[in-house]
Amino acid sequence: GSELLAKERAQSNLSVEQLSEFLHTKDVLQRQDAILKILKSEKAFDKSQNYFSGRETRFTNALARAKRLQQLAAKHGWTQDEYQVATELISEPGPYGLHASMFLITLRDQGTSEQHQLFLHKAERYEYIGCYAQTELGHGSNVRGLETTATWNAEDKTFTIHTPQLTAAKWWIGSLGRTANHAVVMAQLIIDGKSHGPHPFVVQIRDLRSHQPLENVHVGDIGPKFGYNTMDNGFLLFNRVKIPHANMLAKFSSVDPQSGKYIKPPSASLVYGTLTWVRSTIVLQSGGVLARGVTIAIRYCAVRRQFQDRDAKSLDAGENQVLNYTMVQVRLLPLLAATFALHFTGRGMMALYQENQKKMAGDVGKAGQPGRGPSPEELFPSTDLLADLHATSCGLKALASTTAAEGLEICRRACGGHGYSSFSGIGSWYADYLPTTTWEGDNYMLTQQVARYLLKSARAVLEGDTSDNDTTRILRTFLARRDMGAAFDVLGRDEDIVAAFAWRTSFLTFESLKHRDEDKNSWNNLLVDFWRLSTAHSQYLIVKNFYDALRSDTVSQELNQGTVVLMHKLFRLHALHTLEREASEFFSSAAVTVRQIQLARTKAVMNLLEEIRPHAVRLVDAWRFPDWQLDSSLGRYDGKVYEDLFHRASEMNPLNAITIDPYPGNDVLVKKDDRDAFKSKL
Amino acid sequence: GSELLAKERAQSNLSVEQLSEFLHTKDVLQRQDAILKILKSEKAFDKSQNYFSGRETRFTNALARAKRLQQLAAKHGWTQDEYQVATELISEPGPYGLHASMFLITLRDQGTSEQHQLFLHKAERYEYIGCYAQTELGHGSNVRGLETTATWNAEDKTFTIHTPQLTAAKWWIGSLGRTANHAVVMAQLIIDGKSHGPHPFVVQIRDLRSHQPLENVHVGDIGPKFGYNTMDNGFLLFNRVKIPHANMLAKFSSVDPQSGKYIKPPSASLVYGTLTWVRSTIVLQSGGVLARGVTIAIRYCAVRRQFQDRDAKSLDAGENQVLNYTMVQVRLLPLLAATFALHFTGRGMMALYQENQKKMAGDVGKAGQPGRGPSPEELFPSTDLLADLHATSCGLKALASTTAAEGLEICRRACGGHGYSSFSGIGSWYADYLPTTTWEGDNYMLTQQVARYLLKSARAVLEGDTSDNDTTRILRTFLARRDMGAAFDVLGRDEDIVAAFAWRTSFLTFESLKHRDEDKNSWNNLLVDFWRLSTAHSQYLIVKNFYDALRSDTVSQELNQGTVVLMHKLFRLHALHTLEREASEFFSSAAVTVRQIQLARTKAVMNLLEEIRPHAVRLVDAWRFPDWQLDSSLGRYDGKVYEDLFHRASEMNPLNAITIDPYPGNDVLVKKDDRDAFKSKL
Ligand SMILES: Cc1cc2nc3c(=O)[nH]c(=O)nc-3n(C[C@H](O)[C@H](O)[C@H](O)COP(=O)(O)OP(=O)(O)OC[C@H]3O[C@@H](n4cnc5c(N)ncnc54)[C@H](O)[C@@H]3O)c2cc1C
Ligand SMILES: Cc1cc2nc3c(=O)[nH]c(=O)nc-3n(C[C@H](O)[C@H](O)[C@H](O)COP(=O)(O)OP(=O)(O)OC[C@H]3O[C@@H](n4cnc5c(N)ncnc54)[C@H](O)[C@@H]3O)c2cc1C
């Protein structure tokens, strides 16, 4: 294996260092190296039994790591970013996960300063450990439908939190099962018998000393899952639990304690901001998520040799690296291209988001909310740009996380039999990532929001609205040329590729608009159209972001000419491969001709595969995953694939410490159990 | 949940009993009921801790079940079929898996009668417990490349079995890790320094009493996997182990013990038969495999309600069953249709296979091999029909197992968050099934065999060959009309749908032929084309098999008119949904027009979804999976989804018996461990 990877690295002159600094910045890479050294030296973070352990052991180990990580963070004075780097290197969900994210964020953003005093500071010191309890057994996507109630008691100025029936049980709540002693509970606020919709309440659920559930609180872990088993997702039921008035997070809405009157939030859609931010983060991470699988698969497929090339000249040629087979290339190299496409898109989105944040911060005063900083909630989705950003984040979250999740499984399968071993390192990573397609908006459902926005934009454009953002621009361009048609030179000019994707989005938008407004189709009847439309639009956005990134000054300044040329090839591979996969929509919108598609498929894509192939290993090297992070026999930097598989199987595997009796007539199962000796040897 | 499923069942008049008897036969269903009763009453088969246990416990439990099953089979005198039914109800791979299949089959089919005496009879009595050791660390697909050697020693008439280097270690071998005491080892037969390729040898690997590895044998379990963890896939290395001459399975090839001369098999491709049979079995099972996921998802999506319909008249309408959303329907109902398509195709293949077996049996005498029964090996792939059957089985194995595996994940995801819980029952089933896409021929690689056959057939047809089978027929039809074009009425006539699929296959075949023979493309360059071609051909075969089955006498005799009409709708949904997904190939081959595709997408498919929707629950009921088999909270027949999730989480989950200390400052992890008490309560 080692010589093969050395040969791979020798045959390309791509500057790995330059590209990885461009992707991550030098700073981040140095930080990563420093933190990696610390983690590796700590017994708690030893990964060698991860793939072997059962749920309970994995969970308690994860807890040990979570604790140790806090101690290290304190000791080394890590920033939030550094803590994040450590978490990524460890690469498993941990019991503090939801405390450190949603619990703290919600207290911070939705609590008043008195409430910060009451809850936030203790939470920051991990005296209060919390979770974000929104989803219930019966309701996830439909938040308005939540059934847990918080009823205002005027007489003693308290709320009663209650679970009226089984479907109202909180469910799936991360960090709740065994860890949290507090929860932010989303419950229907009821005053005088009238419901005002779901609001956040801080509820203590376990005793701070005994860690036993408080009276009338039924709480526990919801059991094993397809992945995410180092996390204690939990359930939570209340039997009329009273909490003080101060426990309703009151920055936006509140109940006046004297009058019992409900005080409305300044804008109904305040929450858009956070959601947009969370989704943008998912987009930003998706490239790296996928890159892990691609790194493993490409390295392994460069080491794996199987069969002689059928057309090989000499019989002595030896076996072919499977990465040389075009059928392997066509599965892996477009995914390699996608890692960059997603990375640039995530960056683009984040930049847009931050730009907006700044802009909004300026507007805050005008909107009559002086004195508050620009937290994500304080956005004004009524502005065009923000609505655009919101829709963009929905569509891209769906497409990016689906691409990453499904891409990981393609990587795993490309590794043949060994891909199925836990030691491949892809399976567990995939399984842990998978819920990203479901949470923060189920990927299918998000597409409705994108479609709604595009239809609205199209209506506005037709009515002569002049607001100017990318969406209205491409719709107008399409309208202007609709009766002339398009003649995009997708095989010759990169900008024509972008234009062809824009054309297809616009075509599908006006088609859907017709189905809705003229043909009066029901919303439900159009969901499939909407999903297609959102996918098309998001593909356009990714292609456009990739293209724009490559034309930016940063690229020409930070990357040498050879790398830029290679990046353009990756851009074309990504775009043309997508175009070809979605060929029918490109035909029927007349964005390209049948002949162009055929050429893209049989020539352009095949040529790009061949041109990119020699650089594949260096390209994944540039993602710079340390072996320790990948924890993969197949993806080792040094290519010692077989040695590592063998070592783990024969030296690390506790099952081999059991000698069984194999005969059906004998009811004895285990003749000899040497696991204790085995474990003490580890 | 219960009322909703009752309502579903009330709104359709499909005869579940009739359809399920048609799918399975009354006999099989009764047998299943009887065996289910026995299994349920046995403690060993209690499934309630399956999802919670770690690898070692799961494996020893699986061993207990495997033993008990043997005992029950003996006690009740179960036939092979009945044993199979029990295994399917238990639904987990077990430690005898490869013994009961490949080890026995290989001894039986490749051993002489003396060898049956020596090995087979003891193996049938489970005194010898074995496995089939072909794959090595370094070689799986490329069997010719195996590196384990079996060197003939003329002086003492023995073979030396040896593992010359690490990559020659046997790997992935089912039942080998902890269970087997014997192995059929595929090794390069070397006589006088000359290799004659891989041959099967019976090698004892563990002591029959102590069950310890024999001297110079290094054997063990290869470790945890993405699934299949109740099976002990193993590794095996030999340090010059001598075995007697009699241990080379000698029915086909052998070494003359006196002269040391190699005696060749009568036909080089004898093995085609078994492989064809194994692949046909995979096709036959794929419908049922997928149907499990579809059953769970459709029942759950009929119970799950989320949001009001946007266009609903009244605000009191209540929440919509998610199965009513077209975006859910378009994911699940085509898969429902596919379960039947695959089932009929599997049946068709098996019938063809058996017909051929009979025919070949008649031919055996002529071919000069008197006295041997028609075992799968004794096929003559030179005959047209057999070559066709072989190619068909390759293409369909690939497409059917990919469809089933990927379909299961679509089902899981359609269940939203709860699909991610182990209690959904889909995840583990999917994970265990996944290797089917890799073994018995990696699905991507198999497509080369299909393409090779189609190219050969096309050449023959062009050269005026008159042999008559379905493939040559469709190729000739295409040639005859090539310059006239086609005008298939795919939306109006079912037979035109079949013809359009045939047309597309033929078009792609001649296109590939041109690329290979005229343009002189390298084989490697065409792999992607070949994969497309094979997929297209296999889709045609499925559509055709489904269509033919519906026109058969059995259907009109055994199913009432309403059911037949519904089956035709499922046929159309399957075919048109496939056509629309693969639209670009249908366009470019001019099999259909852009307008037809658009209509298929926006009208025909949507209408079919609506028409089939009311029967969805009854259709999955007809597959007749007992709840015990599904082991799924979401797929329960009675719809008590939430009750079951809650019960499992709060009553059966051992993690809840652990009380942790959650504070980072305290290194204590577990404050209280009540697992022993918990387990004794179970
Ligand atoms: C590992 C994991 C961790 C989680 N952590 C947390 C947490 O910490 N806190 C928390 O509060 N929640 C958490 N969740 C819950 C998560 O947010 C929800 O599962 C998610 O929002 C999906 O909602 P659902 O399960 O209700 O799906 P459903 O809405 O029930 O979806 C079921 C199906 O119906 C479809 N569907 C539903 N409505 C429509 C519609 N209107 N139109 C078309 N199709 C529709 C969906 O596409 C899907 O296929 C977690 C979930 C998981 C899996
Ligand atoms: C759960 C499980 C159980 C198993 N049980 C057994 C058992 O009991 N006994 C046994 O002997 N084996 C067993 N196997 C091994 C199994 O048969 C092999 O894994 C399988 O044949 C695939 O071979 P491979 O792993 O060598 O894949 P490889 O051939 O290494 O494939 C790697 C990649 O290269 C591609 N590729 C390889 N060659 C070509 C080519 N010529 N053209 C184009 N692409 C190519 C493949 O498509 C794949 O993407 C088992 C495997 C698993 C996962």
Side-chain angles (χ1 to χ4, degrees):
Chain A
S2 298
E3 330 76 65
L4 285 167
L5 285 191
K7 226 186 71 197
E8 289 288 332
R9 292 185 177 112
Q11 81 186 0
S12 159
N13 56 9
L14 173 75
S15 168
V16 170
E17 202 182 323
Q18 193 187 62
L19 182 56
S20 61
E21 284 175 10
F22 175 75
L23 289 173
H24 303 290
T25 77
K26 196 175 191 132
D27 235 43
V28 169
L29 290 173
Q30 281 172 348
R31 200 156 61 198
Q32 175 175 306
D33 290 346
I35 293 173
L36 178 61
K37 227 174 111 191
I38 296 172
L39 296 179
K40 272 173 131 174
S41 72
E42 296 266 339
K43 184 76 190 131
F45 302 107
D46 172 32
K47 296 187 177 188
S48 67
Q49 282 290 306
N50 274 4
Y51 294 133
F52 299 100
S53 308
R55 174 102 206 275
E56 292 131 68
T57 308
R58 292 221 63 194
F59 175 71
T60 47
N61 285 346
L63 177 65
R65 290 167 190 175
K67 289 186 175 197
R68 189 68 194 129
L69 205 58
Q70 279 305 311
Q71 296 168 3
L72 289 174
K75 179 171 155 195
H76 298 285
W78 282 344
T79 62
Q80 188 54 36
D81 277 356
E82 285 167 321
Y83 182 77
Q84 188 54 32
V85 167
T87 311
E88 274 168 26
L89 288 169
I90 296 170
S91 287
E92 68 180 21
Y96 293 158
L98 273 284
H99 170 84
S101 57
M102 283 302 281
F103 185 64
L104 289 179
I105 291 174
T106 310
L107 291 181
R108 200 170 288 143
D109 290 349
Q110 311 208 24
T112 60
S113 51
E114 303 88 76
Q115 289 175 323
H116 289 176
Q117 214 60 40
L118 267 175
F119 307 117
L120 179 62
H121 302 317
K122 285 185 183 145
E124 283 171 340
R125 291 194 304 268
Y126 282 72
E127 292 167 25
Y128 289 178
I129 298 174
C131 59
Y132 182 78
Q134 176 171 303
T135 302
E136 298 172 354
L137 254 185
H139 288 89
S141 311
N142 181 13
V143 178
R144 302 243 119 221
L146 293 177
E147 298 170 84
T148 301
T149 52
T151 309
W152 172 246
N153 309 305
E155 62 289 1
D156 59 359
K157 304 194 192 317
T158 59
F159 298 98
T160 299
I161 308 288
H162 186 55
T163 305
Q165 59 265 329
L166 181 60
T167 45
K170 294 295 172 185
W171 206 266
W172 279 114
I173 313 308
S175 302
L176 166 68
R178 307 312 297 149
T179 309
N181 53 32
H182 279 72
V184 166
V185 175
M186 292 296 280
Q188 297 285 351
L189 170 63
I190 296 177
I191 308 176
D192 284 339
K194 179 169 182 266
S195 176
H196 295 270
H199 287 76
F201 299 85
V202 178
V203 188
Q204 181 174 348
I205 53 171
R206 286 188 173 97
D207 184 78
L208 297 188
R209 299 193 54 191
S210 71
H211 204 58
Q212 292 299 330
L214 298 185
E215 226 187 314
N216 293 316
V217 170
H218 185 35
V219 58
D221 176 89
I222 62 163
K225 295 148 290 190
F226 194 62
Y228 237 74
N229 283 310
T230 44
M231 169 64 91
D232 53 326
N233 294 90
F235 62 80
L236 178 58
L237 294 84
F238 298 102
N239 182 20
R240 300 182 203 285
V241 169
K242 276 203 174 185
I243 55 169
H245 173 265
N247 285 31
M248 172 172 169
L249 290 177
K251 187 153 170 193
F252 299 118
S253 336
S254 54
V255 175
D256 179 73
Q258 306 317 324
S259 64
K261 256 188 64 180
Y262 177 63
I263 301 160
K264 270 200 208 154
S267 150
S269 33
L270 281 173
V271 88
Y272 271 25
T274 313
L275 285 180
T276 301
W277 180 79
V278 171
R279 289 190 191 123
S280 304
T281 310
I282 292 176
V283 179
L284 186 64
Q285 290 168 342
S286 60
V289 166
L290 178 57
R292 270 178 81 140
V294 174
T295 300
I296 294 170
I298 284 190
R299 285 186 184 153
Y300 174 65
C301 287
V303 170
R304 182 71 171 176
R305 306 188 339 154
Q306 203 79 186
F307 296 101
Q308 287 205 333
D309 188 345
R310 266 177 73 103
D311 297 305
K313 301 280 157 342
S314 144
L315 268 174
D316 304 316
E319 288 183 290
N320 211 352
Q321 293 165 288
V322 300
L323 190 54
N324 290 338
Y325 294 115
T326 55
M327 192 64 232
V328 172
Q329 291 170 12
V330 82
R331 287 180 278 161
L332 295 180
L333 301 186
L335 290 177
L336 175 59
T339 63
F340 295 102
L342 292 172
H343 180 81
F344 289 123
T345 303
R347 285 247 192 121
M349 270 229 62
M350 271 298 176
L352 215 60
Y353 176 78
Q354 266 139 13
E355 199 181 288
N356 259 284
Q357 284 292 95
K358 277 203 211 114
K359 215 171 143 239
M360 293 300 124
D363 291 351
V364 165
K366 302 175 207 154
Q369 302 187 41
R372 285 205 270 116
S375 88
E377 272 67 30
E378 294 166 50
L379 298 171
F380 297 82
S382 53
T383 66
D384 286 340
L385 220 54
L386 255 181
D388 198 61
L389 194 62
H390 169 73
T392 301
S393 78
C394 288
L396 284 175
K397 182 273 177 180
L399 181 61
S401 59
T402 300
T403 304
E406 294 179 354
L408 287 173
E409 170 59 15
I410 293 174
C411 292
R412 198 195 58 70
R413 233 178 276 176
C415 298
H418 294 324
Y420 194 66
S421 167
S422 296
F423 308 147
S424 81
I426 306 180
S428 51
W429 180 242
Y430 166 75
D432 282 350
Y433 185 70
L434 216 40
T436 314
T437 64
T438 301
W439 66 35
E440 305 305 341
D442 169 86
N443 282 359
Y444 286 100
M445 295 184 43
L446 284 175
T447 63
Q448 297 183 39
Q449 313 227 26
V450 183
R452 184 179 303 128
Y453 169 72
L454 289 175
L455 294 192
K456 228 176 111 189
S457 299
R459 284 190 202 104
V461 164
L462 286 176
E463 286 160 10
D465 184 311
T466 56
S467 62
D468 186 47
N469 59 37
D470 188 62
T471 306
T472 52
R473 269 195 297 277
I474 66 168
L475 292 174
R476 269 195 284 267
T477 307
F478 174 82
L479 283 183
R481 291 202 59 91
R482 179 150 63 166
D483 299 328
M484 285 174 266
F488 299 116
D489 181 14
V490 288
L491 300 175
R493 291 159 46 101
D494 288 357
E495 60 188 280
D496 275 31
I497 297 182
V498 181
F501 274 84
W503 182 273
R504 161 180 171 241
T505 291
S506 307
F507 172 85
L508 291 174
T509 303
F510 287 109
E511 194 190 53
S512 286
L513 189 69
K514 179 172 168 299
H515 290 160
R516 180 70 178 162
D517 288 0
E518 289 177 36
D519 310 345
K520 305 285 179 209
N521 268 296
S522 72
W523 187 260
N524 188 18
N525 230 316
L526 292 172
L527 294 182
V528 184
D529 273 11
F530 290 165
W531 168 67
R532 274 174 223 277
L533 172 57
S534 172
T535 306
H537 182 58
S538 307
Q539 286 172 344
Y540 156 69
L541 289 171
I542 292 179
V543 165
K544 179 177 157 52
N545 270 286
F546 200 167
Y547 178 73
D548 287 347
L550 293 187
R551 288 196 314 167
S552 71
D553 292 344
T554 357
V555 162
S556 47
Q557 282 155 16
E558 296 185 21
L559 296 177
N560 66 39
Q561 191 48 28
T563 305
V564 174
V565 169
L566 189 54
M567 283 288 139
H568 270 102
K569 288 183 180 162
L570 288 164
F571 162 76
R572 268 196 294 281
L573 178 61
H574 172 72
L576 293 177
H577 186 255
T578 306
L579 184 147
E580 180 234 299
R581 254 180 26 221
E582 309 281 357
S584 84
E585 288 177 6
F586 282 92
F587 289 167
S588 43
S589 65
V592 298
T593 65
V594 174
R595 180 79 186 130
Q596 282 174 310
I597 295 279
Q598 238 169 359
L599 286 172
R601 165 158 75 82
T602 56
K603 296 264 189 283
V605 167
M606 299 311 284
N607 289 343
L608 286 163
L609 294 178
E610 197 175 329
E611 288 167 26
I612 293 165
R613 160 70 188 88
H615 308 284
V617 169
R618 278 190 178 244
L619 280 166
V620 299
D621 285 350
W623 275 99
R624 266 277 218 123
F625 292 103
D627 279 349
W628 194 79
Q629 183 175 10
L630 294 180
D631 197 11
S632 163
S633 298
L634 307 188
R636 286 173 68 100
Y637 185 86
D638 67 5
K640 289 194 195 298
V641 165
Y642 301 119
E643 294 85 341
D644 199 60
L645 282 172
F646 184 69
H647 171 72
R648 296 194 196 223
S650 78
E651 305 299 318
M652 310 303 284
N653 183 0
L655 189 61
N656 286 327
I658 298 177
T659 305
I660 64 155
D661 174 292
Y663 305 108
N666 191 345
D667 285 339
V668 170
L669 299 175
V670 176
K671 278 167 98 87
K672 212 156 146 267
D673 187 344
D674 298 320
R675 276 180 295 177
D676 287 342
F678 169 82
K679 270 168 196 159
S680 66
K681 241 183 37 200
L682 280 180
Chain B
S2 298
E3 331 74 68
L4 285 166
L5 285 192
K7 223 185 73 197
E8 289 289 332
R9 292 186 177 114
Q11 82 187 0
S12 159
N13 56 9
L14 174 75
S15 167
V16 170
E17 201 183 325
Q18 193 188 61
L19 181 56
S20 63
E21 284 175 11
F22 175 76
L23 290 172
H24 304 291
T25 76
K26 195 173 191 138
D27 235 43
V28 169
L29 291 173
Q30 281 173 348
R31 201 154 61 200
Q32 174 174 308
D33 290 346
I35 293 173
L36 177 61
K37 228 174 110 189
I38 296 172
L39 297 179
K40 273 173 130 174
S41 71
E42 296 266 339
K43 183 81 190 127
F45 302 108
D46 171 32
K47 295 186 176 187
S48 65
Q49 282 291 304
N50 275 3
Y51 294 132
F52 299 99
S53 309
R55 174 100 205 277
E56 293 131 67
T57 308
R58 290 220 64 193
F59 175 70
T60 46
N61 285 347
L63 178 66
R65 288 167 192 177
K67 289 188 176 198
R68 189 68 195 130
L69 205 57
Q70 279 303 313
Q71 296 168 2
L72 289 175
K75 179 172 154 193
H76 298 285
W78 282 344
T79 62
Q80 189 53 37
D81 278 356
E82 285 166 322
Y83 182 76
Q84 188 54 33
V85 167
T87 312
E88 275 168 26
L89 287 169
I90 296 169
S91 287
E92 69 180 20
Y96 293 157
L98 273 284
H99 170 83
S101 58
M102 283 302 280
F103 186 63
L104 289 179
I105 290 174
T106 311
L107 291 181
R108 199 170 288 145
D109 290 348
Q110 311 210 27
T112 61
S113 49
E114 302 88 75
Q115 289 174 323
H116 288 176
Q117 214 60 40
L118 268 174
F119 308 116
L120 179 62
H121 302 318
K122 283 185 183 145
E124 285 171 338
R125 290 194 303 267
Y126 283 71
E127 292 168 24
Y128 289 178
I129 297 174
C131 59
Y132 182 78
Q134 177 172 301
T135 302
E136 298 173 354
L137 253 185
H139 288 88
S141 311
N142 181 13
V143 178
R144 304 242 116 224
L146 293 177
E147 297 171 83
T148 302
T149 52
T151 309
W152 173 244
N153 309 306
E155 63 290 1
D156 60 358
K157 305 195 191 318
T158 59
F159 297 98
T160 299
I161 308 290
H162 186 56
T163 305
Q165 58 265 330
L166 182 60
T167 46
K170 294 295 171 186
W171 206 267
W172 278 114
I173 314 305
S175 303
L176 167 67
R178 307 313 297 147
T179 310
N181 53 32
H182 279 73
V184 167
V185 175
M186 292 296 281
Q188 296 284 352
L189 171 62
I190 296 177
I191 307 175
D192 286 338
K194 181 172 180 264
S195 175
H196 295 271
H199 286 76
F201 298 85
V202 177
V203 189
Q204 183 175 347
I205 52 171
R206 286 190 174 96
D207 183 79
L208 298 188
R209 298 193 55 190
S210 72
H211 205 59
Q212 293 298 331
L214 297 185
E215 228 187 314
N216 294 315
V217 170
H218 185 34
V219 58
D221 175 89
I222 62 165
K225 296 148 291 191
F226 193 64
Y228 236 73
N229 283 311
T230 44
M231 168 66 90
D232 53 325
N233 293 91
F235 63 78
L236 178 59
L237 294 84
F238 298 101
N239 182 21
R240 300 183 204 284
V241 170
K242 276 205 173 183
I243 56 168
H245 173 264
N247 285 31
M248 172 171 169
L249 291 178
K251 188 153 170 191
F252 299 119
S253 335
S254 54
V255 176
D256 179 73
Q258 306 316 325
S259 64
K261 257 187 64 181
Y262 176 63
I263 301 160
K264 271 198 207 154
S267 151
S269 33
L270 281 174
V271 88
Y272 270 25
T274 312
L275 286 181
T276 302
W277 181 79
V278 171
R279 289 187 192 123
S280 304
T281 310
I282 292 176
V283 179
L284 185 64
Q285 290 168 342
S286 59
V289 166
L290 178 57
R292 270 178 80 141
V294 173
T295 300
I296 294 170
I298 284 190
R299 286 187 185 154
Y300 175 66
C301 288
V303 169
R304 182 71 170 177
R305 308 191 333 158
Q306 203 80 188
F307 296 102
Q308 287 205 330
D309 188 346
R310 266 176 73 104
D311 297 306
K313 303 282 158 341
S314 143
L315 268 175
D316 305 315
E319 287 183 291
N320 212 350
Q321 292 164 289
V322 298
L323 191 54
N324 289 339
Y325 294 116
T326 56
M327 193 62 229
V328 172
Q329 290 170 11
V330 82
R331 288 181 278 161
L332 294 180
L333 300 187
L335 290 177
L336 175 60
T339 64
F340 295 102
L342 293 172
H343 180 81
F344 289 123
T345 303
R347 283 246 191 123
M349 272 229 60
M350 271 297 174
L352 214 61
Y353 176 78
Q354 265 140 12
E355 199 181 289
N356 260 284
Q357 282 292 96
K358 275 204 210 116
K359 215 171 142 234
M360 292 301 126
D363 291 351
V364 166
K366 302 175 208 153
Q369 300 188 42
R372 286 205 268 114
S375 89
E377 271 66 28
E378 294 164 47
L379 297 172
F380 297 82
S382 54
T383 66
D384 287 340
L385 219 55
L386 256 180
D388 198 64
L389 194 61
H390 169 74
T392 302
S393 77
C394 289
L396 284 176
K397 183 269 176 184
L399 181 60
S401 59
T402 301
T403 304
E406 295 180 353
L408 287 173
E409 170 58 14
I410 293 173
C411 291
R412 198 194 59 69
R413 233 177 276 175
C415 299
H418 293 323
Y420 193 66
S421 167
S422 296
F423 308 147
S424 83
I426 306 180
S428 53
W429 179 242
Y430 166 76
D432 282 351
Y433 184 71
L434 216 41
T436 313
T437 64
T438 301
W439 66 36
E440 306 304 342
D442 169 87
N443 282 359
Y444 286 100
M445 295 184 45
L446 284 175
T447 63
Q448 297 184 39
Q449 313 228 26
V450 182
R452 184 181 303 128
Y453 169 73
L454 289 174
L455 293 192
K456 229 176 107 188
S457 299
R459 285 190 200 101
V461 164
L462 286 176
E463 287 160 10
D465 186 309
T466 56
S467 63
D468 185 48
N469 60 38
D470 187 62
T471 307
T472 51
R473 269 195 297 276
I474 65 169
L475 293 173
R476 268 195 285 267
T477 306
F478 175 80
L479 284 183
R481 292 202 58 93
R482 178 151 62 168
D483 299 329
M484 286 175 264
F488 300 116
D489 181 15
V490 289
L491 299 176
R493 289 157 47 101
D494 288 357
E495 59 188 279
D496 274 32
I497 298 182
V498 181
F501 275 85
W503 181 273
R504 162 182 170 238
T505 293
S506 307
F507 172 85
L508 292 174
T509 303
F510 287 109
E511 192 191 54
S512 286
L513 188 69
K514 178 172 169 299
H515 291 159
R516 179 69 177 164
D517 289 0
E518 289 177 38
D519 309 345
K520 304 284 178 209
N521 268 294
S522 73
W523 187 260
N524 188 17
N525 230 314
L526 292 173
L527 293 182
V528 184
D529 274 9
F530 290 165
W531 167 67
R532 273 176 224 277
L533 172 57
S534 172
T535 306
H537 182 56
S538 306
Q539 286 171 345
Y540 156 68
L541 289 171
I542 292 178
V543 166
K544 180 178 156 51
N545 271 285
F546 200 167
Y547 179 72
D548 288 348
L550 293 187
R551 288 196 315 165
S552 71
D553 292 343
T554 356
V555 162
S556 47
Q557 281 155 15
E558 296 185 21
L559 296 177
N560 66 39
Q561 194 46 28
T563 307
V564 173
V565 169
L566 188 55
M567 283 288 136
H568 270 101
K569 288 182 180 161
L570 289 163
F571 163 76
R572 269 196 294 280
L573 178 62
H574 172 73
L576 293 177
H577 185 255
T578 306
L579 183 147
E580 180 235 297
R581 253 180 28 222
E582 309 281 357
S584 86
E585 289 178 6
F586 282 91
F587 289 165
S588 44
S589 64
V592 297
T593 64
V594 174
R595 180 76 187 132
Q596 281 175 310
I597 295 281
Q598 241 168 356
L599 286 171
R601 165 158 75 81
T602 56
K603 295 265 189 286
V605 167
M606 299 310 284
N607 289 342
L608 286 164
L609 294 178
E610 197 176 328
E611 288 167 24
I612 292 166
R613 160 71 189 87
H615 308 284
V617 169
R618 279 191 176 239
L619 280 166
V620 299
D621 285 350
W623 275 99
R624 263 277 218 126
F625 293 104
D627 278 350
W628 194 80
Q629 184 175 9
L630 295 179
D631 198 11
S632 162
S633 298
L634 307 188
R636 287 174 67 102
Y637 186 85
D638 67 6
K640 290 194 194 300
V641 163
Y642 301 119
E643 294 85 341
D644 199 60
L645 282 171
F646 184 68
H647 172 72
R648 296 194 196 225
S650 77
E651 304 300 319
M652 311 302 285
N653 183 1
L655 190 62
N656 286 328
I658 298 176
T659 304
I660 64 156
D661 175 293
Y663 305 107
N666 190 346
D667 284 340
V668 170
L669 299 175
V670 176
K671 279 168 98 87
K672 209 154 148 271
D673 188 344
D674 298 320
R675 276 180 295 177
D676 287 341
F678 169 81
K679 269 170 196 159
S680 65
K681 239 184 37 201
L682 279 179

